[in-house]
Each structure stands twice: as C-alpha cells, then as structure tokens.
Amino acid sequence: MRPRSRRLPRLGGAPGARASEELAALLERLGDDEEALRSYDTVIGNEPQDKYAWSGKGRILMKMDKLDHAKRSFDRALELDPQLESAVEGNAALDKKLKQRQISIYAARVLEYEHRRNAKVTREEAFKDCGLPFSALDEVTAYLQAKEPVDVEGLDEERFHAYEVLSHDVLMATLGNPSYQRQGLRLADVYMSMPDRDVEKAKKVMAYIETVNKMDFAPEAMDKKTEKMVRAALELPSSAHTTLGVMQNLEVGLYTARRIVCMLNSLSSGAS
C-alpha cells in the first residue's frame, strides 16, 4: 500500500522552500514523478534538515523503483524525526519491496540453472548450486509456483499488444526444442526467451499464454485487418494452418493466431 502523504503543521522555513514543497506534493498527487523529485531536491538544497522533503523524495524514488536511493532518503528523514509517520510507513513499504526484489533475484538464479540443466531444480541444488540461503528456499519456491492472473479480455490496447509480441517471441523460441515437446512450456523457458529478463514479467507472460490457450474461440464477424490476415493465412500450406504455424508465418501473437485458426477452421468446414 502506498504510504500516505501527511502534511503536518510546521514552524519556520523559508517561504520559497515551502512553496517548492507544496508544488512537489501537488506534482506527486498528479503523478508527475520526475518534476516532483526535482521539487523535493530543491527543498532539500535550501533546507537540508527538512524531514518532510526527505520523506517525500523517498516516496517518489520508491515509485520510480530506485529502491536503494529511496532507502537513503527514508533513513535521512527518520534520522531527523524517528516518529515521522510518512517516513515510518514509507520505510516499511520499502523494506517489503526490497525483500521482494531479493526473492526475485534468487528466483532468477533458479530459472537460469533449470534452463541450463533442462530439469526441475531440487532444494539441494537451489541451496548448493544456485547459492540460495536456506532461509529463502521456501519463499523462492512459493514465489515461483504462485500464479499471476492476467485478465486477457480486460487488457488495454497497449498492454494487449505487448503480451502478443512477447507470446510470439517466447513460443517461436521453443520451436525445434525437444524439451518443449516432452515437458511443455516452462517458466524457465519463458524467462530465458525474454529480451529483458524479469521474473515477474515472465510469470505474467506465462499466465497470458496459459489463459489464451484455455480460451474458447468461435467464428465471428471479421474487421478489415482480421480479414486481411485470414486471406494471408489461406495462402499458406495447409500444414501451417496451426496456431504455431500462423504465428511463425504471419508474425502475430498467440491470441491473434488462435482467432485466425478458428476462422480458417470455420471456412474449411463450410460454416457461414
């Protein structure tokens, strides 16, 4: 939960610094993180002892995922006032994010090792070969096994396109991989196939692929773009009229490919 930004009564302070701090708080509420950070830095430059500005800077840096810098800002705010509520809450939220980041780092080691070995990693291997602390083994295992639900139908256009691109890249990387034929798609395969390897994102892409594969597609009215793709698919050999075949030849994502295959099947069966 995002820490509350509480404005407490203050005494003294230069009017210019107060104005900059009020501007920073406004920009923070508006979601303009870069400008808010600059405004908090202006306050700190004028009043290095301003605990509210240090706390606000910590919040912004945490939102920007600059966790180590955020930690230093919260620590400074708490040095100035150990009871400052916004800094106490922000620091607690940050500690949780730092722990999650470390678990993600350990999880990445496990996935890389699993991909190299082409086999599930045992607890002993995670401890001995991946270098995980014994105290983290259960948390890492739970994190890797936890599902990341993705509401495919509720995705906006930008996120849908991103998932389609990643689903294409991941599944094309599995073509010709004998382990895929034996074991199916694994999280380690998804993670290692992504250009910017991120365990959390890999889990969501995996969930997207699993969700789309479980969806029932029915013939529907085609817009011009879909009709163009279906016509292009009809030019392919019948052996390519599969989901992976369409993905490979038309360079589309999983959802789009499954829709096209559904249309191809309806045409070949004579359905109107």
Side-chain angles (χ1 to χ4, degrees), residues 135-180:
S135 59
L137 290 175
D138 289 338
E139 285 184 274
V140 172
T141 300
Y143 173 65
L144 287 171
Q145 292 177 348
K147 298 293 184 180
E148 292 285 343
V150 175
D151 179 10
V152 175
E153 300 290 358
L155 294 172
D156 59 37
E157 191 63 32
E158 182 179 356
R159 289 188 299 160
F160 173 74
H161 177 71
Y163 275 118
E164 282 288 89
V165 170
L166 287 169
S167 69
H168 172 274
D169 292 348
V170 166
L171 291 173
M172 289 304 96
T174 66
L175 287 178
N177 185 344
S179 69
Y180 175 67

Side-chain angles (χ1 to χ4, degrees), residues 4 20 63 87 141 180 184 216 267:
R4 291 171 292 175
S20 294
K63 284 176 62 182
T141 300
Y180 175 67
D216 292 322
L267 289 171

Side-chain angles (χ1 to χ4, degrees), residues 37-102:
L37 181 59
R38 277 192 275 272
S39 294
Y40 280 125
D41 280 336
T42 297
V43 177
I44 292 168
N46 292 323
E47 293 191 53
Q49 306 301 310
D50 191 313
K51 58 188 179 183
Y52 300 99
W54 281 109
S55 181
K57 181 177 180 177
R59 283 195 307 275
I60 293 295
L61 289 168
M62 183 165 60
K63 284 176 62 182
M64 297 170 75
D65 210 33
K66 297 180 179 180
L67 304 186
D68 296 323
H69 290 85
K71 182 66 175 173
R72 289 194 286 271
S73 294
F74 283 131
D75 285 348
R76 180 59 180 143
L78 292 169
E79 284 177 13
L80 294 167
D81 182 357
Q83 305 304 317
L84 183 62
E85 185 176 359
S86 63
V88 170
E89 292 179 352
N91 199 48
L94 177 61
D95 284 344
K96 185 176 180 181
K97 291 194 75 167
L98 286 168
K99 183 177 181 180
Q100 290 171 339
R101 183 178 70 176
Q102 189 59 58

Side-chain angles (χ1 to χ4, degrees), residues 3-268:
R4 291 171 292 175
S5 176
R6 176 172 289 189
R7 301 287 297 159
L8 299 179
R10 302 181 57 202
L11 298 175
R18 287 201 300 274
S20 294
E21 190 171 345
E22 289 167 359
L23 175 61
L26 174 61
L27 290 166
E28 183 180 351
R29 288 195 294 273
L30 293 173
D32 192 342
D33 296 337
E34 293 286 351
E35 287 300 322
L37 181 59
R38 277 192 275 272
S39 294
Y40 280 125
D41 280 336
T42 297
V43 177
I44 292 168
N46 292 323
E47 293 191 53
Q49 306 301 310
D50 191 313
K51 58 188 179 183
Y52 300 99
W54 281 109
S55 181
K57 181 177 180 177
R59 283 195 307 275
I60 293 295
L61 289 168
M62 183 165 60
K63 284 176 62 182
M64 297 170 75
D65 210 33
K66 297 180 179 180
L67 304 186
D68 296 323
H69 290 85
K71 182 66 175 173
R72 289 194 286 271
S73 294
F74 283 131
D75 285 348
R76 180 59 180 143
L78 292 169
E79 284 177 13
L80 294 167
D81 182 357
Q83 305 304 317
L84 183 62
E85 185 176 359
S86 63
V88 170
E89 292 179 352
N91 199 48
L94 177 61
D95 284 344
K96 185 176 180 181
K97 291 194 75 167
L98 286 168
K99 183 177 181 180
Q100 290 171 339
R101 183 178 70 176
Q102 189 59 58
I103 293 297
S104 183
I105 291 171
Y106 291 148
R109 292 186 196 173
V110 172
L111 293 176
E112 289 167 3
Y113 186 82
E114 179 180 332
H115 190 265
R116 287 197 305 271
R117 289 282 308 279
N118 196 27
K120 281 287 185 182
V121 179
T122 66
R123 282 173 61 86
E124 180 180 339
E125 289 170 335
F127 177 72
K128 178 185 173 186
D129 300 325
C130 301
L132 271 62
F134 183 82
S135 59
L137 290 175
D138 289 338
E139 285 184 274
V140 172
T141 300
Y143 173 65
L144 287 171
Q145 292 177 348
K147 298 293 184 180
E148 292 285 343
V150 175
D151 179 10
V152 175
E153 300 290 358
L155 294 172
D156 59 37
E157 191 63 32
E158 182 179 356
R159 289 188 299 160
F160 173 74
H161 177 71
Y163 275 118
E164 282 288 89
V165 170
L166 287 169
S167 69
H168 172 274
D169 292 348
V170 166
L171 291 173
M172 289 304 96
T174 66
L175 287 178
N177 185 344
S179 69
Y180 175 67
Q181 303 299 326
R182 293 194 308 270
Q183 306 175 51
L185 188 66
R186 303 169 304 169
L187 181 59
D189 301 320
V190 177
Y191 175 75
M192 295 299 292
S193 300
M194 295 176 65
D196 53 335
R197 291 175 185 166
D198 180 283
V199 179
E200 192 74 16
K201 187 182 291 186
K203 291 177 66 179
K204 290 181 179 179
V205 172
M206 182 79 170
Y208 177 83
I209 291 171
E210 291 176 339
T211 301
V212 173
N213 275 332
K214 292 176 183 175
M215 294 175 69
D216 292 322
F217 287 80
E220 57 185 83
M222 291 187 248
D223 56 28
K224 289 184 178 180
K225 182 178 179 181
T226 303
E227 185 173 317
K228 183 178 179 180
M229 288 190 291
V230 171
R231 290 186 185 279
L234 286 169
E235 297 297 321
L236 300 173
S238 59
S239 59
H241 290 182
T242 63
T243 299
L244 288 177
V246 170
M247 291 179 72
Q248 183 178 27
N249 288 279
L250 300 189
E251 296 188 348
V252 295
L254 179 61
Y255 185 97
T256 304
R258 291 207 61 207
R259 280 190 66 217
I260 292 172
V261 170
C262 176
M263 298 298 186
L264 292 174
N265 291 337
S266 73
L267 289 171
S268 64

